[in-house]
Amino acid sequence: MTDEELLAAAEECRANAYAPYSGFAVGAALLAADGRVFPGCNLENAAYSATCCAERAAFSRAVSEGARDFLKIAVVGGPAGAPVSRFCMPCGVCRQVMREFCRGDFTVLTTDGREIRRRTLAGLLPDSFAADALGGDR
Ligand code: THU
């Protein structure tokens, strides 16, 4: 699975985004260590705070299907109905959810339609609070 293929999977799922309030459609594709790809899109709610981002939708789907080890996630977002033209970085809540299952070398990919931006989770969420603080091993 190349980075381009993972971004294409995110773009495909972006078409399913449910974003009637913001009009901002996001797609994600999460690559598990066993090769499976779990797509997700944002799903908004009339009670705005109940909105779920595309990244968390992908993690929810993956964990629900038994995956626990992940290599990278592709994220693409922008105004619904238009091609992606700006990088879409994961929000802080999604970074924290990634940290629950992933170590610092987990990679986040995004594109502005021209270039691919690659970031590590350690770079996006330095000095993170995670299970190790509670006695876990991640
Ligand atoms: N959104 C995502 O799905 N992922 C992100 O990383 C940033 C924001 C969604 C949430 C909401 O539906 C819309 O984009 C505007 O914030």
Side-chain angles (χ1 to χ4, degrees):
M1 169 70 50
T2 66
D3 290 353
E4 288 78 4
E5 288 169 337
L6 197 63
L7 283 160
E11 186 65 54
E12 187 179 340
C13 194
R14 180 174 174 254
N16 298 324
Y18 177 73
Y21 306 107
S22 72
F24 193 86
V26 185
L30 176 61
L31 178 63
D34 62 11
R36 286 185 289 170
V37 174
F38 299 96
C41 63
N42 55 334
L43 45 141
E44 298 187 345
N45 194 282
Y48 296 169
S49 63
T51 290
C52 182
C53 289
E55 299 92 319
R56 276 178 284 142
F59 269 88
S60 176
R61 188 169 179 172
V63 172
S64 297
E65 295 188 27
R68 284 289 173 85
D69 297 320
F70 304 107
L71 300 177
K72 51 191 170 182
I73 191 168
V75 184
V76 288
V84 165
S85 62
R86 298 179 67 175
F87 297 113
C88 181
M89 301 306 297
C91 79
V93 173
C94 288
R95 294 176 195 202
Q96 184 66 31
V97 169
M98 290 174 192
R99 182 66 187 90
E100 185 64 27
F101 297 100
C102 307
R103 296 179 191 275
D105 60 353
F106 178 74
T107 301
V108 175
L109 310 170
T110 183
T111 184
D112 62 357
R114 294 174 292 276
E115 296 175 12
I116 298 176
R117 176 183 284 178
R118 296 175 178 82
R119 298 286 186 263
T120 63
L121 182 57
L124 294 177
L125 193 68
D127 299 328
S128 60
F129 184 88
D132 57 352
L134 301 175
D137 61 0
R138 281 183 187 271

